[in-house]
Amino acid sequence: MTQQEKNYKTIVIGVSAGGLEALSTILPALPQDFSMAVAVVQHMKEDGDNYLPEYLNRKCRLNVLEAKEKYSLKSGSIYIAPPGYHLLIERDFTLSLTVDPPVCYSRPSIDVLFETAADAYGQSLIGVVLTGANIDGSKGLKKIRKKGGLAIVQKPDTAEAQAMPSSAIEIAGADHILPLTGIGPFLKELGRIK
Amino acid sequence: MKNPDKTEQIEIDMLLETIYRQRGYDFRNYARASLERRVRTQMDSFGLKYISELIPYMLYDDATFDSFLRNMSITVTDMFRDPHFFKALRTQVIPNFAALPYIKIWCAGCATGEEVYSLAIILKEVGLYDRCQIYATDYNTNSLDIAKNGQYPLDKMKQFITNYNKAGGNKIFGDYYHARYNFVKLHKGIREKIVFSHHNLVSDSVFGEMNLILCRNVLIYFNQILQNRVFTLFNESLANGGFLCLGTRESLEFSSLEPLYKKELVKQKIFRKK
Ligand SMILES: C[S@@+](CC[C@H](N)C(=O)[O-])C[C@H]1O[C@@H](n2cnc3c(N)ncnc32)[C@H](O)[C@@H]1O
């Protein structure tokens, strides 16, 4: 089976420093009839208010909301992890939250989302690692690839902080290394094939 | 062809079944993804290759089972965690109790006690503590011991004090404890009305006629079946007009009991039994 024929169901995105701009570039590129669900971990201060879903919702054609526990992932919706909670995906494609200790100094942690999503979706998952100043996401992306999913990493020299995408490429490798502006259109293409 | 994923699911099911039948702890209806992560971490730390290799320990080795059980329970907590919640509790819930001769409170899943002591401090400051009886329960005996002791690392105090002030505390937080080396111990006056005891939300029964139940950041670890069981337990334990407080990201939304409750404070996840 070629990559283009695979039936991808869900995209998980991990992003840290520089995330607001990166997400504002990628997510508005996704069209109204997009065929996948999107779950996002953006590192942020734990006790802050979660302004991100509302902010992105205004910019996007798709519905952007804060991830709530026990909600089923729906295609065409974008779920953002709440600050201070890990976001996980169950095998029945519902969302879970926990207050387990931080992973890679982060809660939500990208690895936690990616690893559980890989278990739930196997080869119908796409993992995307974007700009950031730590190494969260590398282990998770490795697991996504191991389970047959597709790995996309932002080209480090287009990232506000290069450490996270560089580490992902080094530890997990990538199927596609794309500049920031190329990721949205690429996902749009993948979301077209049914 | 064998599917490794399916094999692992069988192994986890067998492990949970063994723990339930041999040890009486029922994790079968916990939310699965985080439970799996914890099981795998323990498997790795024991240097094992397969999850099923944990099963003999659960059957035969008490000490290993005890440490396994401790690691299954996530005891992460703070004093005045989510200060906005405690502020709402102080200003909008607790005043409802002023006319009661006797106030009964249950803090379920109290972990190492920080949450229930935060509540005690508020009750003290508003002058109602002497009329309270507070039950604080958890299934983790280890954290209950820490809770009973009321002693916490000194280096956590800075965060606690910040939270306390944000939660509307208006006294000097330092007056509630004394420092000993690297620890602080809460004064007896804060601890005296709290009874800590072992209670498993999965299998144990109701507490009677509570005016307030706090159960925060526990239900997120359960699947819907178990959440419903626990909501029923709380419903039977609450007096009419009593308050149920959940964690900031928890809700009654998927429970058939929702219609029986008024959403007293939506954002703070405070519900009132009609
Ligand atoms: C993350 S802590 C929450 C502590 C505190 N309520 C807070 O919000 O800060 C979760 C607690 O729930 C307890 N717990 C988990 N399953 C339980 C059960 N079946 N019965 C009683 N307590 C349980 C754990 O032992 C742990 O102490």
Side-chain angles (χ1 to χ4, degrees), chain A residues 99, chain B residues 30 73-78 81 108-111 115 137-140 143 199-202 216-218 221-222:
Chain A
V99 290
Chain B
Y30 275 56
S73 129
I74 302 301
T75 59
V76 177
T77 187
D78 270 324
R81 176 192 215 161
C110 65
E115 178 180 50
T137 63
D138 204 285
Y139 83 102
N140 182 332
S143 27
H199 181 279
N200 191 332
L201 289 166
V202 183
R216 310 184 69 237
N217 304 305
V218 181
Y221 289 97
F222 298 168

Side-chain angles (χ1 to χ4, degrees), chain A residues 47-50 66-71 82-85 88-91 96-101 103 107 111-112 115-116 118-120 143 147, chain B residues 5 8-9 31-34 36-38 40 74 76 81-82 84 159 166 217 219-224 227 247-251 253-254 267 269:
Chain A
D47 51 6
D49 253 354
N50 195 7
E66 187 183 277
K68 293 205 172 114
E69 67 126 13
K70 304 288 183 275
Y71 272 48
Y85 291 79
L88 301 83
I89 299 182
E90 301 285 342
R91 286 171 200 268
S96 280
L97 300 174
T98 77
V99 290
D100 283 23
V103 172
R107 191 175 59 193
D111 280 340
V112 172
E115 287 174 23
T116 55
D119 281 332
K143 177 153 178 181
K147 295 244 165 182
Chain B
D5 233 46
E8 203 182 65
Q9 287 306 299
R32 199 60 182 253
S34 64
E36 265 182 46
R37 274 185 67 84
R38 260 166 281 142
R40 288 206 193 103
I74 302 301
V76 177
R81 176 192 215 161
D82 306 316
H84 297 290
Q159 174 73 45
K166 278 193 202 158
N217 304 305
L219 292 159
I220 40 173
Y221 289 97
F222 298 168
N223 74 8
Q224 251 181 67
Q227 286 188 354
T248 325
R249 272 14 186 235
E250 293 170 325
S251 81
E253 200 175 329
F254 292 110
K267 212 176 155 214
K269 300 300 157 70

Side-chain angles (χ1 to χ4, degrees), chain A:
Chain A
M1 194 160 52
T2 75
Q3 204 177 82
Q4 299 297 312
E5 287 161 349
K6 271 193 188 167
N7 195 356
Y8 294 111
K9 290 206 181 83
T10 288
I11 303 172
V12 286
I13 298 179
V15 61
S16 187
L20 199 58
E21 195 207 329
L23 292 174
S24 304
T25 308
I26 294 171
L27 298 177
L30 306 178
Q32 195 102 53
D33 59 353
F34 196 59
S35 69
M36 293 184 262
V38 184
V40 180
V41 163
Q42 155 84 71
H43 291 160
M44 58 187 127
K45 244 181 61 199
E46 289 213 350
D47 51 6
D49 253 354
N50 195 7
Y51 61 89
L52 196 60
E54 211 185 297
Y55 174 83
L56 291 170
N57 196 39
R58 265 181 272 130
K59 295 185 168 239
C60 291
R61 270 164 285 207
L62 300 181
N63 188 25
V64 187
L65 57 162
E66 187 183 277
K68 293 205 172 114
E69 67 126 13
K70 304 288 183 275
Y71 272 48
S72 293
L73 284 152
K74 287 202 190 72
S75 57
S77 288
I78 301 173
Y79 304 85
I80 314 281
Y85 291 79
H86 290 300
L87 172 62
L88 301 83
I89 299 182
E90 301 285 342
R91 286 171 200 268
D92 64 1
F93 311 128
T94 58
L95 300 168
S96 280
L97 300 174
T98 77
V99 290
D100 283 23
V103 172
C104 296
Y105 309 100
S106 311
R107 191 175 59 193
S109 144
I110 302 165
D111 280 340
V112 172
L113 172 65
F114 280 20
E115 287 174 23
T116 55
D119 281 332
Y121 286 102
Q123 56 173 12
S124 31
L125 182 70
I126 301 173
V128 184
V129 174
L130 303 172
T131 170
N134 59 27
I135 62 158
D136 193 16
S138 297
K139 258 182 79 187
L141 196 68
K142 189 169 174 179
K143 177 153 178 181
I144 291 176
R145 295 195 84 197
K146 196 175 136 209
K147 295 244 165 182
L150 187 74
I152 300 173
V153 179
Q154 179 177 1
K155 199 161 177 278
D157 63 14
T158 70
E160 204 172 302
Q162 303 197 9
M164 207 161 82
S166 299
S167 159
I169 293 166
E170 193 187 311
I171 290 171
D175 299 294
H176 301 276
I177 298 171
L178 302 171
L180 178 60
T181 48
I183 297 174
F186 187 73
L187 293 175
K188 182 178 166 185
E189 271 318 299
L190 290 173
R192 208 192 283 282
I193 310 134
K194 254 288 151 190

Side-chain angles (χ1 to χ4, degrees), chain B residues 11-29:
Chain B
E11 293 182 88
I12 293 177
D13 286 341
M14 285 168 59
L15 176 71
L16 299 185
E17 189 66 28
T18 304
I19 294 171
Y20 174 55
R21 291 181 55 186
Q22 182 78 336
R23 305 283 176 176
Y25 285 91
D26 190 355
F27 290 105
R28 293 173 303 174
N29 283 317

Side-chain angles (χ1 to χ4, degrees), chain B residues 120-180:
Chain B
I121 287 172
I122 293 178
L123 289 162
K124 194 117 196 153
E125 291 188 0
V126 300
L128 293 177
Y129 192 51
D130 291 340
R131 273 186 260 161
C132 291
Q133 179 59 268
I134 306 179
Y135 303 90
T137 63
D138 204 285
Y139 83 102
N140 182 332
T141 46
N142 209 57
S143 27
L144 282 173
D145 287 342
I146 297 171
K148 275 179 211 159
N149 204 17
Q151 185 171 297
Y152 302 104
L154 185 62
D155 59 15
K156 292 199 81 178
M157 280 305 129
K158 211 174 131 204
Q159 174 73 45
F160 290 177
I161 292 168
T162 311
N163 289 355
Y164 167 78
N165 291 328
K166 278 193 202 158
N170 53 19
K171 300 268 167 22
I172 293 160
F173 193 66
D175 288 348
Y176 295 118
Y177 60 81
H178 46 272
R180 292 178 173 177

Side-chain angles (χ1 to χ4, degrees), chain B residues 40-98:
Chain B
R40 288 206 193 103
T41 310
Q42 301 223 50
M43 177 187 83
D44 291 343
S45 75
F46 289 174
L48 304 176
K49 190 166 170 220
Y50 298 113
I51 287 172
S52 50
E53 291 174 280
L54 284 164
I55 293 175
Y57 290 102
M58 303 300 120
L59 288 170
Y60 302 114
D61 184 341
D62 294 351
T64 307
F65 168 73
D66 286 345
S67 99
F68 178 88
L69 189 67
R70 264 203 302 284
N71 290 321
M72 289 306 280
S73 129
I74 302 301
T75 59
V76 177
T77 187
D78 270 324
M79 282 188 105
F80 298 96
R81 176 192 215 161
D82 306 316
H84 297 290
F85 162 76
F86 279 96
K87 191 165 193 171
L89 195 64
R90 179 187 187 114
T91 57
Q92 310 200 44
V93 174
I94 288 171
N96 289 286
F97 303 146

